Amino acid sequence: MLNETIKTLRTSKGLSQEELAAQLHVVRQTVSKWEQGLSVPDAGMLLSLSEVLETPASTLLGEAPAETKADDCKAISEKLAAINRYFARRQAARRRAVHWLFILLGILTAAIFPVLIELKSPYLAWDYSHPETAVIGVVLHALEWLFIRAAPVVLIGSIAGVFLTRKRHQNG
């Protein structure tokens, strides 16, 4: 809603993202993120944006132009707070998903080791004079060799990933 309104008003004024960014003293990527809905301007920037686009801030936030109120700043702040809460929830959900992905990757890597130890590379005793068993044996040996070499790095990386994506408790 906000992203589409910004883009529509910008193009109707004949401004490029670069020109709008220059007038707002931000980089073009900031305007692009607003228009893609990846971020939202803060209250002060929203007021500057409304001045540059010559439209009330409430219109940018989706209200009909006739519905302007005397306490625009409060209404704008409430809407921006709601949008920011939405983005925070979305970011927290992504963080949780990545966190659990790291946990599962570590568990899977650690679980494969006992299986490989128990199997004791049975293909090493195969008859390699037959082409089919020779190819399969070489492929299995290569995969096992790659796993043994990569597993410590994957395990350390997944442990680091778990710690880096853990939920941080905020005081106060």
Side-chain angles (χ1 to χ4, degrees):
M1 118 182 134
L2 174 63
N3 56 333
E4 296 166 358
T5 306
I6 293 172
K7 185 174 184 176
T8 302
L9 290 170
R10 176 186 59 80
T11 54
S12 71
K13 297 285 183 190
L15 295 171
S16 67
Q17 286 183 346
E18 184 107 5
E19 292 167 334
L20 179 59
Q23 290 184 26
L24 295 170
H25 306 293
V26 296
V27 293
R28 184 201 57 81
Q29 289 83 353
T30 302
V31 174
S32 176
K33 285 182 181 181
W34 293 340
E35 290 183 359
Q36 292 175 23
L38 299 175
S39 68
V40 294
D42 61 22
M45 186 56 68
L46 190 65
L47 293 174
S48 299
L49 189 59
S50 71
E51 289 174 13
V52 170
L53 296 175
E54 299 171 346
T55 186
S58 58
T59 302
L60 288 173
L61 293 172
E63 289 182 9
E67 297 179 14
T68 57
K69 301 174 185 171
D71 57 342
D72 265 349
C73 284
K74 183 178 179 186
I76 291 168
S77 295
E78 289 172 1
K79 286 187 179 193
L80 284 174
I83 292 170
N84 283 330
R85 282 192 302 274
Y86 167 75
F87 281 121
R89 280 192 305 269
R90 206 164 81 174
Q91 184 178 10
R94 274 193 220 121
R95 177 175 281 221
R96 278 191 305 274
V98 170
H99 180 77
W100 281 104
L101 182 69
F102 280 126
I103 289 173
L104 291 175
L105 182 62
I107 290 171
L108 182 65
T109 303
I112 291 175
F113 271 112
V115 172
L116 290 177
I117 290 170
E118 185 63 31
L119 290 177
K120 298 178 185 169
S121 304
Y123 51 82
L124 294 178
W126 287 359
D127 179 11
Y128 281 88
S129 62
H130 293 87
E132 294 85 15
T133 57
V135 169
I136 293 171
V138 168
V139 168
L140 288 174
H141 186 66
L143 290 174
E144 183 180 78
W145 184 86
L146 284 171
F147 176 79
I148 296 299
R149 298 306 183 271
V153 174
V154 170
L155 197 56
I156 291 169
S158 65
I159 290 169
V162 167
F163 282 105
L164 292 174
T165 59
R166 72 187 184 282
K167 184 177 180 181
R168 292 178 177 87
H169 296 285
Q170 296 177 350
N171 296 338

